[in-house]
Amino acid sequence: MKRTYPANIDGQIFYIDDDAFNLLQCYLDELKQTFKGEEGREIVSDIESRIREHFNTLAEAGVKVIVLADVNNVIATMGRPEELGCATGETETVEAPEAGSAEASSASCPPPAAEQAPFISINLPGKKHLYRNLQNKVFGGVFGGLATYLGWNANIMRILYLALALVTYFWPLTIIYLILWMIIPAAVTPRQRLEMNGTPVNVETVGRAVTDTVTPPPYMENEGGSSFFSTLFNVLGKILMGIFALLVGSLAFAALVCGLALFVGIIGLMCFESTSILTGFNLLPSAVGWSVLASLVLACLFVAITGFSLVYGASSVIFHTKPMSSRTILTIVIIAAVLLITACVCFAIGKPMF
């Protein structure tokens, strides 16, 4: 049993439980510490107004008490204070427009163009960043994001995709779409939506993004005028992604087992002169050469690493878990590239006798 408080949010009373009240109070306090001055107070007021509208929508839907999950949804939608704080270029030390404070602001909050850019963003069309557009989606918002990034029409891109999919028997382009769904981040926070559209990120635009373009909670979406078809397409997309993850995961697991078995077989041959494992694979060094054997081990590790990475990406989309960071993706890509290149070199210098 929890205590419930009547909370005045932007002039309207809501009943909120103990945990949710404490979290919301901390969130608002962080916002007030992040945004200073008259403009900062206007942004905090806009955010509080959007929180009131969000809670009012829940109340109209029959929710009697605001709980912790509702506050977490609001925070995820609005964005964390540190995201918006760096977006506006303000810090706690900014009290007057002096040269010293400007230097402190730039030192503690780097320019947004060099911060948190998506790993796969090429940034050819000006300063836009590539995100999945959740406000213009059918499945995962991939074409909506690509259309926003390139300045094209999303529906035309979807029609061209379907035409090419029919010609190529669906599977190749379906796999490509699912991979893009996994690796392109979604535009969730106000800062990300501004970056997606190429809008300058400053105090005015962040406040307007929070006020005008807040994404509704997943269970209240009504995109494209039909929540039924939106939900249906999302379910079908996640089913396809689950099948894809199952197939790729099985292949990755098999490759990992084979690679480890070959590695153990090589160690057994070198240390104990045992050929039982390599004989079972019909891959004795005397027949295929050490270089080819090494290339097979590296190729198995390459398939395992890339496969498990794709499975993790699919799982983060299906189960809404935290996706891999840009640094993690970059590290995996570098390791996979090194393994693949080394495997190709080993195979090329070997003398296979297949």
Side-chain angles (χ1 to χ4, degrees):
M1 185 172 62
K2 294 182 180 180
R3 298 173 60 187
T4 301
Y5 300 91
N8 186 335
I9 301 176
D10 194 35
Q12 186 171 347
I13 301 298
F14 297 95
Y15 287 94
I16 181 169
D17 72 19
D18 193 16
D19 294 337
F21 178 85
N22 291 332
L23 178 59
L24 183 59
Q25 185 64 53
C26 291
Y27 178 66
L28 293 175
D29 289 342
E30 289 176 3
L31 288 174
K32 292 175 183 177
Q33 291 295 324
T34 301
F35 299 110
K36 300 287 188 178
E38 185 64 28
E39 291 179 326
R41 285 193 292 270
E42 291 179 2
I43 290 180
V44 174
S45 177
D46 287 338
I47 294 175
E48 189 171 350
S49 176
R50 293 305 301 170
I51 293 174
R52 175 188 58 78
E53 293 178 7
H54 184 94
F55 287 169
N56 189 50
T57 303
L58 293 177
E60 292 176 354
V63 175
K64 301 298 183 182
V65 178
I66 304 300
V67 297
L68 188 62
D70 299 323
V71 176
N72 280 322
N73 284 333
V74 168
I75 294 176
T77 299
M78 299 295 181
R80 298 297 307 177
E82 57 268 18
E83 296 173 335
L84 299 178
C86 281
T88 60
E90 296 182 7
T91 64
E92 295 183 9
T93 60
V94 179
E95 297 180 357
E98 299 177 357
S101 62
E103 294 174 359
S105 175
S106 62
S108 60
C109 192
E115 177 188 312
Q116 295 180 352
F119 167 68
I120 62 171
S121 175
I122 304 175
N123 275 348
L124 291 179
K127 296 181 179 180
K128 291 183 179 180
H129 291 173
L130 181 57
Y131 290 99
R132 286 188 288 115
N133 190 349
L134 301 183
Q135 296 176 320
N136 181 18
K137 72 174 185 177
V138 175
F139 282 102
V142 173
F143 287 121
L146 289 174
T148 302
Y149 184 72
L150 299 173
W152 296 356
N153 185 286
N155 290 327
I156 293 178
M157 295 182 69
R158 293 180 180 114
I159 293 173
L160 291 175
Y161 172 83
L162 289 176
L164 290 174
L166 289 173
V167 175
T168 57
Y169 302 100
F170 286 100
W171 280 110
L173 289 182
T174 300
I175 293 175
I176 292 174
Y177 183 89
L178 294 177
I179 292 175
L180 292 176
W181 191 350
M182 285 182 266
I183 65 177
I184 299 178
V188 178
T189 65
R191 174 186 174 85
Q192 291 171 333
R193 287 193 289 271
L194 291 173
E195 290 177 338
M196 177 179 65
N197 290 284
T199 305
V201 183
N202 51 46
V203 172
E204 180 182 357
T205 57
V206 169
R208 188 165 59 247
V210 171
T211 304
D212 299 333
T213 61
V214 174
T215 305
Y219 50 83
M220 304 182 93
E221 289 180 351
N222 189 22
E223 296 166 331
S226 174
S227 60
F228 171 76
F229 286 107
S230 176
T231 303
L232 177 62
F233 286 137
N234 272 284
V235 171
L236 290 177
K238 290 180 178 180
I239 290 175
L240 289 176
M241 189 170 291
I243 296 173
F244 172 76
L246 181 62
L247 295 176
V248 173
S250 301
L251 178 63
F253 182 76
L256 179 63
V257 172
C258 290
L260 292 177
L262 288 174
F263 182 75
V264 172
I266 293 174
I267 297 299
L269 178 62
M270 295 176 62
C271 298
F272 307 104
E273 297 184 357
S274 173
T275 61
S276 57
I277 296 179
L278 297 180
T279 301
F281 282 97
N282 196 22
L283 292 173
L284 289 174
S286 58
V288 300
W290 285 102
S291 296
V292 174
L293 193 59
S295 70
L296 291 176
V297 175
L298 294 174
C300 289
L301 294 178
F302 167 79
V303 173
I305 290 176
T306 54
F308 286 128
S309 300
L310 290 176
V311 171
Y312 183 89
S315 300
S316 66
V317 173
I318 296 173
F319 302 109
H320 300 287
T321 57
K322 184 178 180 180
M324 289 186 290
S325 64
S326 299
R327 292 182 179 180
T328 303
I329 295 176
L330 179 60
T331 303
I332 292 174
V333 169
I334 292 175
I335 294 175
V338 170
L339 288 173
L340 183 61
I341 293 173
T342 308
C344 292
V345 171
C346 291
F347 188 83
I349 65 176
K351 298 183 181 300
M353 299 178 62
F354 297 138

